[in-house]
Amino acid sequence: MLKLLKYVKSYLWMLLLAIALLFAQANFDLALPDYLSRIVNTGIQQSGVESAVPVAIRQSEMNRVLIFMSAADKESVLADYTLIDQNSADYDKYLADYPALASGPVYVLNPIDQAEIDRLNPILAKALLAVSGIEKALADPAAAAQMSGAFGGFDLSKLPPGMDVFTMLAKLPADQIAKMTDSMDAKFATLGDKMLVQTAVSVVKAEYQALGMNTDKLQNNYILNVGAWMLLLTLASGVCTIIVGYLSAKIAAGMARDIRRDVFKTVESYSNTEFDKFSTASLITRTTNDVTQIQMVVVMMVRMMFYAPLMGIGGIIKVIAKDSPLSWLIGLAVLMLVSLIIVVFSVALPKFKLIQKLVDRINLVSRENLSGMMVIRAFNMQPFEEERFDKANKDLTAVSLFINRVMVVMMPIMMLIMNVLMLSIVWFGAGQVADANMQVGDMMAFMQYAMQIVMSFLFLSMMFIIIPRASVSADRIYEVLSTEPHIHDPKEPRQFPTSFKGSVEFRNVSFRYPGADTDALQDINFTARPGQTTAFIGSTGAGKSTIVNLIPRFYEVTNGAILVDGVDIREVTQHDLRDKIGYVPQKSALFSGTIESNLRYAYEDATPEMLQSAIEIAQAREFVESKPEGMVTEIAQGGTNVSGGQKQRLSIARAIVKKPPIYILDDSFSALDFKTDAALRRAFKEQAADSTLLVVTQRVSTIKNAEQIIVLDEGKIVGKGTHKELMENCETYKEIALSQLSKEELS
């Protein structure tokens, strides 16, 4: 995958924006459990009262609370409150909020920050609980008698009429009060600050009710406020998800387009040597299926590969920050998940590398069957081909099923781990809640964080499923892109002479196919001149097509040189060279479109007159005009809706439209009858009177009138001259000629 990273550069800003949005989304999602915890803990359990620091408290109650504080704490607490009475400027405003103000002064909390509230929380919580405990004890005489020891031996249940216990406590010596507060602090220490504050909240709520405040409204407002924030965060997360989805699709589609474009451009620059290395089926698979694999993994990577670690790491940080006693459960679950992923992928990874090769194989068999259907039917080989396809299909299916069987085990086990984790959190969390070590809302938030952490591993496991296969696809694509064409243009190309004539000279040319042990051509020497026909004839495999394929540089000569108008073809660009050549291949190739579009393939700006002239010379006019649509008749892919002879004539007409100085006709008359062959050659000779004409053929009748005939045998020239000269001097040519024509026809 890293080999294709260069394709990310064009979309780097999109990727960075997507990562920023994923970071924001992860933060939004990680914040939701905390808000849920606040709704449960504060909104429901604490009735909307957020802390043990009351926003307002009656003066009489404050006086009682101050008894159980040190002098320094008293001073700091009173500094954070303002006493409101009938003489205060904002009396009417506060009276509406706190109706009890009509009966006596009220302390109102000044605007302070969260740090100050956190500092005051334990101080006020302990004092409020102490006052509340005494008030409850006084309501029960037996409890009051038990508490008397804490107040210097006085029996609180037998206080003189009208004597207030808090008045008595206020008169006790400071050291005795200190002993009392120390004793209470020791008991409160077992609760912890969080539980201490939560316990004191009920006292604050009772004080709010005493002030005449609407505590139900306070609770509802808190829940609605926190719920609104949760909804807002959810909507923001949803917006981020949509935008990231759009960006990931755009990045992936753009990268796939760029990769396909470069693969196609690279393949277009290949010589036949490279095409011999890669099969057509493999190149199609690499351009389609392999690129699709890359596109899919890029979408998943942008959406999950960055998001999942953010969620997992963020969830772990949140859990650690809460200092939860259940953190060990998540650690155990993560360890089990990582072990599962390692085991599964150590088994499945080797198979991922095999599956793309099997896709190549099934594409190859399919392509051969579709292109060779007529031959298969002619020899009644349908059962054999069905068996061959079935084997390739079964091999691919078997590997796919093996991978799926391995992968299908992972998801249920992961879900089992997650469900056991949830059950364990409830089981152990319930005990922590019962022991007052944890609040219910914190346990619920912990469950949410645990689920987010486990889900992040599920997302990563999905990535691990597709990344190995995509990695194999990336390697296959890179193999195509990194294959250096055997034939390349010179760094400083020469130009052909302005007065280009088109002579072609082979000078001591030898050629050997890549990987072959012997030369296919040996020491070939000849010159093809303008205005003349140079023909090549010989037995099958003699090297006729190989010679003409060297001229447009479909292959590169092994030794010697080919000169066109005195210029070595290796010293000019391939474009300039091929621009001078009209090529008709041995196997005629037509493209999907119309007859006209196929003819214009050679020269896009050809006039209708040029097209008509070309089809007349190629003896194609009759069958073109017989079509109802004429020149705009549709040609199927590969020209399957026209006959072999019609296909050859259209290929020749296409070359004629170009009007090049050099024509190469590689056995291009083989599908024509003798009458059409003769008429075409005659018309062609008139049209290309000044061009160099190189013809490969098996028919002696086609080249009998050629100015130069070159006879090949096993890659060597065994005869060169006119028909008459060769009949006298070349035994090989004479044998070929006599095998096709009678002596009378040859004379």
Side-chain angles (χ1 to χ4, degrees):
M1 289 292 293
L2 297 177
K3 297 171 183 176
L4 301 180
L5 272 181
K6 66 177 183 178
Y7 290 98
V8 181
K9 291 181 181 179
S10 301
Y11 308 96
L12 189 58
W13 71 269
M14 286 188 188
L15 181 61
L16 294 175
L17 177 58
I19 294 173
L21 289 170
L22 287 171
F23 183 78
Q25 181 187 348
N27 277 283
F28 295 148
D29 291 343
L30 288 168
L32 291 174
D34 191 48
Y35 279 89
L36 175 64
S37 172
R38 289 169 61 184
I39 286 179
V40 174
N41 290 343
T42 305
I44 297 174
Q45 289 187 299
Q46 298 177 194
S47 303
V49 180
E50 298 185 57
S51 70
V53 181
V55 295
I57 184 171
R58 292 166 296 165
Q59 183 183 31
S60 58
E61 190 68 14
M62 177 65 90
N63 291 337
R64 294 179 176 183
V65 169
L66 293 173
I67 293 172
F68 301 98
M69 295 183 192
S70 65
D73 288 342
K74 287 180 185 178
E75 184 178 351
S76 65
V77 168
L78 290 174
D80 287 332
Y81 281 88
T82 299
L83 184 64
I84 305 297
D85 56 20
Q86 293 180 346
N87 299 321
S88 299
D90 296 329
Y91 176 78
D92 293 335
K93 172 178 172 288
Y94 287 112
L95 182 63
D97 295 334
Y98 315 115
L101 183 59
S103 304
V106 172
Y107 279 99
V108 176
L109 185 66
N110 299 328
I112 57 175
D113 58 21
Q114 187 60 43
E116 182 64 10
I117 290 175
D118 292 340
R119 189 186 69 82
L120 293 178
N121 253 326
I123 298 172
L124 282 166
K126 293 174 184 177
L128 287 167
L129 288 173
V131 172
S132 176
I134 292 173
E135 289 175 342
K136 290 178 180 178
L138 289 174
D140 182 357
Q146 290 178 359
M147 291 183 65
S148 60
F151 302 102
F154 292 105
D155 188 348
L156 298 179
S157 62
K158 297 180 180 179
L159 288 173
M163 182 66 177
D164 181 43
V165 65
F166 292 102
T167 303
M168 180 200 72
L169 290 173
K171 294 178 179 179
L172 289 176
D175 59 340
Q176 192 169 350
I177 294 292
K179 289 180 181 179
M180 291 170 54
T181 54
D182 290 343
S183 176
M184 288 186 293
D185 286 347
K187 294 179 179 179
F188 289 146
T190 59
L191 291 176
D193 287 349
K194 285 187 178 180
M195 296 306 299
L196 181 67
V197 171
Q198 185 182 5
T199 306
V201 160
S202 60
V203 181
V204 176
K205 180 182 177 183
E207 177 60 23
Y208 287 166
Q209 290 172 338
L211 285 168
M213 296 171 62
N214 187 343
T215 53
D216 290 339
K217 183 180 179 181
L218 178 68
Q219 182 177 22
N220 290 337
N221 287 344
Y222 182 86
I223 293 174
L224 290 173
N225 182 52
V226 176
W229 276 106
M230 288 186 72
L231 180 61
L232 184 63
L233 289 174
T234 304
L235 290 173
S237 176
V239 170
C240 289
T241 302
I242 293 170
I243 297 174
V244 169
Y246 170 77
L247 292 173
S248 63
K250 196 168 181 65
I251 293 169
M255 285 182 63
R257 177 198 62 205
D258 296 344
I259 292 171
R260 275 194 297 268
R261 178 196 62 212
D262 286 358
V263 168
F264 187 76
K265 285 176 65 177
T266 302
V267 171
E268 275 194 317
S269 70
Y270 280 175
S271 66
N272 287 6
T273 302
E274 284 73 50
F275 282 115
D276 293 339
K277 177 182 178 182
F278 299 102
S279 69
T280 303
S282 179
L283 287 173
I284 292 172
T285 305
R286 293 169 199 243
T287 311
T288 54
N289 184 275
D290 286 329
V291 175
T292 301
Q293 294 293 328
I294 299 297
Q295 182 174 350
M296 182 171 65
V297 83
V298 169
V299 171
M300 299 290 283
M301 283 185 71
V302 175
R303 298 186 68 174
M304 291 187 183
M305 194 71 171
F306 296 109
Y307 178 72
L310 287 172
M311 287 296 293
I313 296 170
I316 292 171
I317 291 173
K318 287 280 188 179
V319 167
I320 293 173
K322 283 186 172 292
D323 195 23
S324 173
L326 304 180
S327 299
W328 64 273
L329 288 172
I330 290 183
L332 181 61
V334 168
L335 181 62
M336 293 173 66
L337 287 170
V338 171
S339 301
L340 174 65
I341 291 171
I342 291 173
V343 171
V344 167
F345 283 98
S346 63
V347 174
L349 187 59
K351 298 296 181 181
F352 282 116
K353 297 179 179 179
L354 178 61
I355 199 164
Q356 290 304 104
K357 293 181 180 178
L358 294 174
V359 172
D360 275 354
R361 176 64 184 167
I362 203 167
N363 281 344
L364 175 64
V365 175
S366 299
R367 188 172 182 276
E368 286 182 347
N369 272 266
L370 293 173
S371 60
M373 188 59 69
M374 300 297 287
V375 177
I376 293 169
R377 289 174 179 171
F379 289 94
N380 289 321
M381 292 298 289
Q382 291 95 326
F384 173 78
E385 291 300 330
E386 287 173 6
E387 184 179 344
R388 195 161 72 105
F389 180 83
D390 195 44
K391 184 181 183 308
N393 194 19
K394 284 181 177 178
D395 289 343
L396 177 61
T397 303
V399 175
S400 298
L401 284 175
F402 177 84
I403 292 172
N404 289 333
R405 288 191 189 107
V406 173
M407 291 302 172
V408 81
V409 172
M410 187 167 64
M411 193 60 67
I413 295 178
M414 282 191 166
M415 294 305 296
L416 176 64
I417 292 172
M418 186 170 70
N419 290 328
V420 171
L421 176 61
M422 295 299 106
L423 185 63
S424 301
I425 290 172
V426 173
W427 178 270
F428 292 103
Q432 295 294 329
V433 171
D435 294 339
N437 293 328
M438 194 176 193
Q439 292 180 271
V440 175
D442 291 338
M443 186 183 75
M444 294 179 68
F446 189 85
M447 291 175 66
Q448 292 288 319
Y449 286 129
M451 187 172 293
Q452 288 175 337
I453 293 169
V454 173
M455 288 302 294
S456 69
F457 277 90
L458 285 175
F459 289 153
L460 287 175
S461 68
M462 292 174 63
M463 290 302 306
F464 293 142
I465 291 173
I466 63 173
I467 282 179
R469 186 172 178 182
S471 179
V472 173
S473 295
D475 289 339
R476 285 159 52 85
I477 291 169
Y478 184 75
E479 187 180 5
V480 174
L481 294 173
S482 62
T483 298
E484 190 70 27
H486 181 67
I487 298 173
H488 50 80
D489 291 333
K491 293 181 180 179
E492 297 180 1
R494 290 179 60 185
Q495 300 294 322
F496 283 118
T498 307
S499 56
F500 188 85
K501 292 182 173 53
S503 65
V504 177
E505 180 186 354
F506 273 58
R507 188 178 294 171
N508 302 322
V509 170
S510 295
F511 172 73
R512 179 179 297 186
Y513 284 102
D517 296 327
T518 58
D519 289 340
L521 296 174
Q522 299 177 40
D523 199 26
I524 304 298
N525 289 277
F526 70 87
T527 300
R529 294 180 174 82
Q532 294 184 357
T533 298
T534 298
F536 302 90
I537 195 168
S539 60
T540 301
K544 304 182 296 297
S545 294
T546 303
I547 283 181
V548 295
N549 282 333
L550 290 174
I551 299 170
R553 293 187 74 191
F554 294 153
Y555 289 103
E556 196 79 288
V557 298
T558 306
N559 292 305
I562 301 173
L563 289 83
V564 173
D565 259 20
V567 179
D568 191 325
I569 60 173
R570 291 170 293 190
E571 297 178 359
V572 297
T573 64
Q574 296 172 69
H575 178 274
D576 287 350
L577 172 64
R578 291 164 187 168
D579 193 46
K580 306 294 185 183
I581 298 171
Y583 178 71
V584 183
Q586 188 173 24
K587 184 178 179 182
S588 300
L590 297 180
F591 302 96
S592 56
T594 64
I595 291 176
E596 182 179 356
S597 68
N598 271 274
L599 296 183
R600 289 186 183 276
Y601 201 80
Y603 180 41
E604 188 176 351
D605 298 326
T607 63
E609 292 75 17
M610 293 171 66
L611 301 181
Q612 287 295 331
S613 174
I615 62 172
E616 284 183 18
I617 295 168
Q619 307 301 303
R621 181 175 181 178
E622 183 179 345
F623 90 81
V624 171
E625 291 182 349
S626 68
K627 302 286 185 182
E629 297 87 359
M631 293 288 285
V632 293
T633 299
E634 286 291 326
I635 297 294
Q637 182 182 0
T640 54
N641 61 336
V642 293
S643 69
Q646 291 170 345
K647 195 186 297 186
Q648 278 194 342
R649 280 177 279 171
L650 288 176
S651 296
I652 293 169
R654 179 172 57 198
I656 293 171
V657 169
K658 188 176 182 181
K659 292 185 177 179
I662 301 171
Y663 284 94
I664 296 176
L665 306 178
D666 188 0
D667 204 9
S668 304
F669 307 110
S670 59
L672 305 181
D673 59 82
F674 286 99
K675 180 182 177 182
T676 305
D677 182 357
L680 193 155
R681 282 187 286 108
R682 187 165 51 250
F684 193 87
K685 184 69 174 176
E686 293 174 3
Q687 192 273 342
D690 297 327
S691 300
T692 302
L693 183 60
L694 297 104
V695 179
V696 173
T697 184
Q698 299 282 6
R699 292 181 181 177
V700 172
S701 60
T702 301
I703 60 170
K704 195 167 66 168
N705 297 319
E707 285 79 8
Q708 180 177 222
I709 300 172
I710 296 174
V711 185
L712 295 167
D713 186 30
E714 296 184 355
K716 299 177 182 178
I717 295 178
V718 294
K720 186 192 304 183
T722 62
H723 168 73
K724 184 178 180 180
E725 292 170 348
L726 291 172
M727 287 296 292
E728 295 175 357
N729 304 323
C730 182
E731 191 64 30
T732 303
Y733 181 79
K734 188 175 180 180
E735 289 177 4
I736 295 171
L738 289 172
S739 69
Q740 296 180 15
L741 301 172
S742 64
K743 290 184 178 180
E744 291 75 13
E745 290 173 316
L746 292 170
S747 60

